[in-house]
Amino acid sequence: MDGVARPVPGLRRKGVLAVLALHAGTIVSVDRLVHAIWDEHPPATALNTLQRHMSYLRHVFGARDTIVARSPGYVLELGSEATDAAVAERLVRQAQQSEDWIANTARLRAALALWRGPALVDVAGLRWMEEQSRRLTLLEEEARYALIEARLVLGEHAELVPELARLTAEQPYHENVHAQLMLALYRAGRQADALEAYQVLRRALREDLGIEPSAALRDLQTNMLRHDPTLDPPGQAVAGSRSASKATVPSQLPLAVRTFVGREPELARLDATLTDTEQAQPAAVVISALSGTAGIGKTALALHWAHRVAAQFPDGQLYVNLRGFDAGGSVLDPAAALRSFLDALNVPAHRIPATLDDQASLYRSLLAGKRVLVVLDNARDVAQIRPLLPGSGGCVVVVTSRRQLTALVATEGAHPLTLDLLTPAQARDLMSAQIGKDRVAAEPAAVDEIIERCARLPLALALAAARAATRPHLPLSGLAAELRDAGALAPFDRDDATADLRAVFSWSYSALRPDVAHLFRLLGLARGPYITADAAASLAGLPLAQVRTLLTELTDVNLLSEHAPGRYTFHDLLRAYAAEQADQLDDNHIRRPAVHRMLDHYLHSAHPAAQLLDPHLVPIDPAPVQPHVIVQQHNSHHAALSWFSAEYTPLLAAIDHAAEIGFEQHPWQLASTVSTFLLRQGLWQQHTHAHSTALAAARRLGHRAGQAHALFGLGIGNARAGRFDEAHPQLEQALDLFGKLDHRIGAAVALETLAWISERRNRPADALRDVNRALSIVETTSHRGHQARFLNDLGWFHSLLGDHHQAVAHCEKALAIGQELGDVNGQAATWDSLGYAHRQLRDYPRAIRCYQQAVDLYRELADAYNQAVTLADFGDTHQDAGDADAARLAWREALRILTQIDHPDADDVRARLDRESAPEPA
């Protein structure tokens, strides 16, 4: 930093810095960091350790904004060329793209000067780092050989001979180095030495490896024997040499995308396959299978990488578009593709056999022992690919397809690489590359909206950016408004089918079987960020095993992705296309029952889970479940909590969906079932939104029970969040409606919550009055659990009024009932009340035991807010007992939780810690 070396101790801490530096300016996910630093076996404390490493590294940099936490991980903000590796990659790339040999020599010398020994030697032993070290070593070799090539063109033949002699001694089987040595000797007037260098290599290959030199090297020897003028020094025939040498080598790669950005991890994985070509057995061809959904940028990545490494394949680059998913639906026959390759390899027509198998055999023979890059773009399936695969090592094949090509991975050992959507930063870089950094920087909010509307899909972003580029005077905010107002897919309509999103999506959709296509359309009706197999089966009204098969087919063609086991998603533009197809092809009598079944799946799975979290929920009495709905079973509190943790976002989306299309019961009943989970997790905003949506729907339909439950949900949520002025009238309205509906438990629980607000407002007498009313109501019912709950409330409020012995009596009755019923939630609250009463009676050991019981039970319940409140009181009790250390420990934990859930009570706990740590006055 600032020219001063700053040591970073520790292998894994160095590893964290190395990963961030190799991705400088790009977000690195926490999962990727953990995998890079601990491979497949991270410790249980990996996330905490990672956070400590980040804090240490920020201290080393002397600025917190150098390493920024940005979902889903961290980013090192040091500029795009903050590392030697980034500078070297740029310099080598510029040299590859330029014909200015003098400038190239300077660039390559500068790049090589950046290596000061083996790359990443300080983090040796970490597998991911070793892969990156091999990649950088390959880059160094690439730069070294490119520099030699440039110096040969510039006529530095004699000067290069000693260096090339040393390199051939170090790499006795490296044909490119030997070819450069032969050429340097020949051009330096040492033809005999050049031919001897060929014989030395030939003997080594035959005796040690049992193979002959490649055709390219044999041709070089033949040309030297014939004094071919194309081998003359640059001053005599440089241009002729270059054109003649390339005339016999196929170079079929189409133009690369000029504005290609991002995809650094994917490029690194492709680079790593080049190492495999050196390490593989002679019969092993390296295959990379790039898959991903329509418009994700598979071809752009394949061509960008192919151009970047083309120089490493001196025997040529072959390319074919197999039209597996094409506008005309005419999939290219592999025989036609193979014939185009044979033509490119200069095979006379009379030598080409008649059958596909014989043509494939000839093709493999021609590529044997050669270094050829083969790009098979837009493949339909493995059957189309196999005849086009070389048969021996040295060749590299890159396949792109909308299918995952699992059989190619299993049988041919292909390296699978599935492309995901661009990160927000990469999407912004793509916009900058097409319309300029200044224009993007001038309207950051509009750019963010454009990126969101394009779902970070490269094709959609490219279309939007092209629209902006062709209308330079249109503000980007205007383009964002067009995307916002025109609907999801309308802004991407184009005359050219290859650039029309609907057309591009349709090529994948039209290839589906009817039952798979039907499920795809129905999935477009679901609103959550993902859907489980159970929910999808309910949506389709089909058996789970059958739906799993259909989902697998959709993921195989990358119309869906399984982002976690059993959970499926697709990006917003594909979702819009699926929903559009459903609207066009499926009548409402198909769509609405399908959505009803999905909503029933969520409601009838969530309701029993909510009862496990809190057995004393206000009853909601859902209607009977629809036929063909799969209901998730929960056998424990932990299972219910885990299910809610995974499914609460689809549940919230289901509430919005049900309200939007006019379902009467589902909005408020779903909101009621998810309420306890949201409150305990401190998800105040989501809780308020769910119940506000439910209330609006219930009022629109005139549903009084729905209004009562939604008002109660809003009231208790606002009360828990400390918004008492908003909560009180909502609870009063709920109480009134519950009374008119003769819903006794609802009325009693509303009174209890009003009592809780009175307590927080320091009016314990009012609270006692409301709880007595609540207890008198539930005593007319058979709900013993609620009786125990209100007995505990009575004890608590008696204690607040100074009658601690009466408080203990009420609470012990409540505890006995709670233990008899197995009510963990009620027991936790009662232990908390007993802790308070015993503390006021100055029986600190008993108070501490009671509070410890409450904290443990709230932790088991994952009730973050009540756990924090009890910990704060626990700390007060330790302080009263004279144990300041234990008090501070409890307060710190309470503060951590309250800060995490963004609750205003955190200020009060922070004040206690501040008072405790303040120095005593002199």
Side-chain angles (χ1 to χ4, degrees):
M1 295 293 296
D2 301 322
V4 179
R6 300 186 184 179
V8 175
L11 172 64
R12 303 200 190 279
R13 190 176 289 152
K14 291 176 182 175
V16 171
L17 179 58
V19 176
L20 291 174
L22 287 170
H23 298 85
T26 301
I27 298 171
V28 184
S29 71
V30 169
D31 288 344
R32 177 176 293 279
L33 282 162
V34 170
H35 175 74
I37 303 307
W38 286 283
D39 294 334
E40 302 296 335
H41 305 289
T45 59
L47 293 180
N48 290 335
T49 303
L50 185 61
Q51 290 171 352
R52 289 197 298 272
H53 289 336
M54 294 299 176
S55 296
Y56 182 90
L57 292 172
R58 288 180 181 126
H59 176 73
V60 170
F61 282 115
R64 289 190 58 82
D65 58 356
T66 303
I67 299 178
V68 180
R70 191 173 295 157
S71 180
Y74 297 88
V75 60
L76 181 64
E77 298 282 15
L78 290 179
S80 60
E81 291 195 356
T83 64
D84 290 347
V87 176
E89 287 174 334
R90 175 181 58 79
L91 291 169
V92 173
R93 184 169 62 249
Q94 289 175 340
Q96 290 171 339
Q97 297 170 350
S98 172
E99 297 284 336
D100 185 341
W101 299 107
I102 295 175
N104 287 348
T105 300
R107 291 183 182 116
L108 294 166
R109 289 186 193 279
L112 289 167
L114 295 171
W115 270 272
R116 291 179 290 274
L120 302 174
V121 68
D122 286 351
V123 286
L126 300 178
R127 188 172 64 185
W128 188 88
M129 300 300 171
E130 290 173 352
E131 292 173 358
Q132 294 303 306
S133 177
R134 288 194 294 271
R135 180 181 70 83
L136 292 172
T137 299
L138 282 173
L139 180 67
E140 181 185 17
E141 291 179 0
E142 180 183 342
R144 193 172 304 283
Y145 299 143
L147 176 60
I148 292 171
E149 185 69 28
R151 292 175 65 192
L152 283 171
V153 173
L154 293 173
E156 299 181 21
H157 316 115
E159 297 92 328
L160 281 168
V161 168
E163 180 180 350
L164 286 167
R166 177 180 57 79
L167 288 173
T168 54
E170 293 173 356
Q171 302 178 71
Y173 311 122
H174 199 303
E175 293 197 6
N176 286 352
V177 179
H178 281 80
Q180 289 178 325
L181 174 60
M182 290 169 62
L183 193 58
L185 289 166
Y186 181 84
R187 288 179 177 174
R190 298 168 59 180
Q191 179 187 11
D193 291 336
L195 295 172
E196 176 58 24
Y198 173 81
Q199 294 300 331
V200 169
L201 172 63
R202 185 182 182 212
R203 284 193 296 272
L205 292 175
R206 294 181 67 179
E207 293 172 6
D208 298 345
L209 304 179
I211 60 175
E212 290 289 335
S214 68
L217 206 64
R218 295 198 300 272
D219 289 344
L220 178 62
Q221 182 215 24
T222 301
N223 289 339
M224 287 181 175
L225 289 169
R226 294 191 312 203
H227 296 280
D228 193 311
T230 62
L231 300 181
D232 289 343
Q236 301 173 32
V238 172
S241 172
R242 288 176 61 81
S243 60
S245 64
K246 290 190 176 182
T248 59
V249 175
S251 300
Q252 294 187 320
L253 296 178
L255 186 68
V257 177
R258 181 182 63 82
T259 55
F260 183 90
V261 298
R263 302 297 191 197
E264 288 84 2
E266 291 85 356
L267 289 168
R269 287 183 59 182
L270 288 169
D271 286 342
T273 63
L274 297 180
T275 306
D276 294 344
T277 63
E278 297 179 357
Q279 298 175 348
Q281 296 298 320
V285 60
V286 174
I287 307 168
S288 292
L290 277 63
S291 66
T293 193
I296 201 71
K298 302 178 292 295
T299 298
L301 172 62
L303 290 179
H304 178 80
W305 183 78
H307 278 282
R308 196 169 83 166
V309 301
Q312 299 186 43
F313 296 91
D315 298 315
Q317 306 90 41
L318 299 172
Y319 170 89
V320 65
N321 179 1
L322 295 172
R323 301 202 302 267
F325 300 88
D326 195 67
S330 56
V331 179
L332 186 67
D333 190 299
L338 195 54
R339 176 60 188 262
S340 73
F341 282 174
L342 293 173
D343 289 342
L345 293 168
N346 298 312
V347 179
H350 67 273
R351 283 192 56 207
I352 299 177
T355 68
L356 177 64
D357 287 345
D358 288 342
Q359 290 175 8
S361 296
L362 174 60
Y363 167 70
R364 290 192 292 270
S365 298
L366 290 169
L367 295 191
K370 290 190 175 182
R371 183 95 167 142
V372 175
L373 175 63
V374 182
V375 180
L376 307 178
D377 194 19
N378 195 13
R380 179 74 164 214
D381 51 36
V382 174
Q384 192 186 24
I385 295 167
R386 282 192 171 122
L388 306 175
L389 297 177
S392 59
C395 293
V396 170
V397 180
V398 178
V399 184
T400 76
S401 178
R402 297 187 188 183
R403 296 186 183 275
Q404 293 187 347
L405 303 176
T406 307
L408 196 68
V409 176
T411 307
E412 277 76 17
H415 300 275
L417 182 57
T418 301
L419 299 192
D420 203 348
L421 299 170
L422 295 176
T423 65
Q426 290 171 340
R428 194 171 291 105
D429 288 344
L430 177 57
M431 294 283 293
S432 298
Q434 292 202 267
I435 65 175
K437 291 183 179 180
D438 292 343
R439 198 170 172 193
V440 168
E443 296 186 73
V447 170
D448 288 343
E449 182 174 359
I450 292 169
I451 290 170
E452 181 182 355
R453 298 284 172 186
C454 293
R456 292 183 281 120
L457 184 71
L459 176 58
L461 284 163
L463 293 174
R467 188 170 179 82
T470 56
R471 301 163 71 188
H473 302 298
L474 174 70
L476 295 182
S477 58
L479 176 59
E482 289 182 9
L483 295 173
R484 185 188 321 125
D485 298 338
L489 294 174
F492 306 107
D493 292 341
R494 293 292 186 277
D495 293 332
D496 180 2
T498 61
D500 184 293
L501 275 187
R502 280 193 183 90
V504 172
F505 291 160
S506 72
W507 304 337
S508 292
Y509 172 75
S510 61
L512 301 175
R513 292 188 293 105
D515 53 346
V516 184
H518 180 60
L519 177 61
F520 174 73
R521 296 195 301 272
L522 291 181
L523 290 171
L525 304 177
R527 301 291 179 83
Y530 52 81
I531 190 169
T532 63
D534 287 353
S538 300
L539 179 71
L542 295 173
L544 180 59
Q546 181 181 350
V547 168
R548 281 181 172 147
T549 300
L550 302 180
L551 290 169
T552 299
E553 293 194 39
L554 287 171
T555 57
D556 184 57
V557 296
N558 284 294
L559 286 174
L560 277 185
S561 62
E562 190 175 7
H563 85 288
R567 289 183 167 81
Y568 301 85
T569 188
F570 43 19
H571 61 72
D572 290 344
L573 295 176
L574 259 180
R575 185 194 306 276
Y577 177 76
E580 190 177 82
Q581 294 301 304
D583 287 342
Q584 293 174 2
L585 301 175
D586 299 317
D587 292 336
N588 193 49
H589 74 271
I590 293 175
R591 299 196 308 271
R592 190 173 180 87
V595 174
H596 194 165
R597 289 190 299 270
M598 180 185 67
L599 294 175
D600 265 13
H601 160 75
Y602 286 125
L603 177 58
H604 288 271
S605 298
H607 185 228
Q611 290 177 312
L612 283 167
L613 294 190
D614 185 358
H616 308 306
L617 282 174
V618 179
I620 62 171
D621 193 22
V625 68
Q626 294 288 302
H628 309 300
V629 171
I630 295 176
V631 177
Q632 183 72 40
Q633 302 298 320
H634 318 283
N635 56 14
S636 67
H637 176 278
H638 177 73
L641 180 62
S642 297
W643 185 83
F644 270 120
S645 297
E647 292 298 299
Y648 79 89
T649 46
L651 284 168
L652 294 173
I655 294 169
D656 290 339
H657 193 185
E660 179 184 323
I661 59 178
F663 278 86
E664 184 173 311
Q665 303 279 353
H666 289 84
W668 68 267
Q669 291 187 342
L670 281 166
S672 295
T673 59
V674 76
S675 179
T676 298
F677 172 81
L678 295 176
L679 290 177
R680 290 183 179 176
Q681 298 299 311
L683 298 170
W684 317 114
Q685 185 176 351
Q686 293 89 330
H687 186 274
T688 299
H689 176 79
H691 288 277
S692 297
T693 301
L695 179 60
R699 283 176 170 164
R700 188 167 57 248
L701 297 170
H703 196 287
R704 291 201 302 167
Q707 293 177 52
H709 282 271
L711 282 164
F712 172 73
L714 282 171
I716 193 171
N718 281 322
R720 283 287 195 95
R723 298 187 289 265
F724 304 129
D725 290 341
E726 296 175 49
H728 198 278
Q730 292 164 341
L731 291 166
E732 290 283 5
Q733 293 176 62
L735 176 62
D736 179 60
L737 284 170
F738 280 134
K740 291 174 179 176
L741 295 166
D742 195 28
H743 196 310
R744 300 180 190 181
I745 297 301
V749 175
L751 280 166
E752 180 195 33
T753 310
L754 284 167
W756 190 81
I757 292 176
S758 294
E759 177 222 329
R760 302 293 286 181
R761 287 175 161 173
N762 201 26
R763 296 204 297 262
D766 292 345
L768 185 63
R769 180 199 63 218
D770 286 338
V771 167
N772 269 313
R773 286 178 61 195
L775 183 58
S776 66
I777 291 173
V778 297
E779 284 177 343
T780 66
T781 73
S782 59
H783 290 268
R784 295 186 68 230
H786 282 97
Q787 293 176 28
R789 178 166 159 174
F790 298 147
L791 279 168
N792 172 56
D793 290 338
L794 275 179
W796 173 254
F797 295 128
H798 273 295
S799 197
L800 291 181
L801 290 166
D803 193 351
H804 307 302
H805 291 289
Q806 184 69 25
V808 170
H810 284 303
C811 290
E812 286 180 344
K813 288 180 185 178
L815 185 61
I817 298 173
Q819 290 173 334
E820 178 187 341
L821 297 175
D823 177 6
V824 178
N825 191 66
Q827 292 175 57
T830 307
W831 280 116
D832 178 75
S833 300
L834 284 167
Y836 181 80
H838 287 301
R839 177 190 167 203
Q840 302 309 312
L841 292 170
R842 301 185 185 279
D843 188 349
Y844 298 128
R846 184 170 293 181
I848 287 170
R849 288 196 297 272
C850 292
Y851 276 131
Q852 186 64 64
Q853 290 276 8
V855 168
D856 291 344
L857 291 176
Y858 279 132
R859 185 180 294 114
E860 178 184 333
L861 292 165
D863 188 341
Y865 174 72
N866 279 315
Q867 181 186 348
V869 170
T870 304
L871 279 164
D873 293 337
F874 197 18
D876 293 346
T877 306
H878 278 298
Q879 185 185 48
D880 292 346
D883 191 343
D885 290 339
R888 282 192 295 271
L889 191 64
W891 289 333
R892 287 194 192 104
E893 180 64 8
L895 179 60
R896 183 190 66 79
I897 295 171
L898 290 168
T899 302
Q900 187 176 45
I901 64 175
D902 193 26
H903 197 281
D905 283 2
D907 293 337
D908 181 55
V909 178
R910 189 178 291 107
R912 297 185 211 186
L913 279 165
D914 290 343
R915 286 194 300 270
E916 179 63 22
S917 60
E920 295 185 5

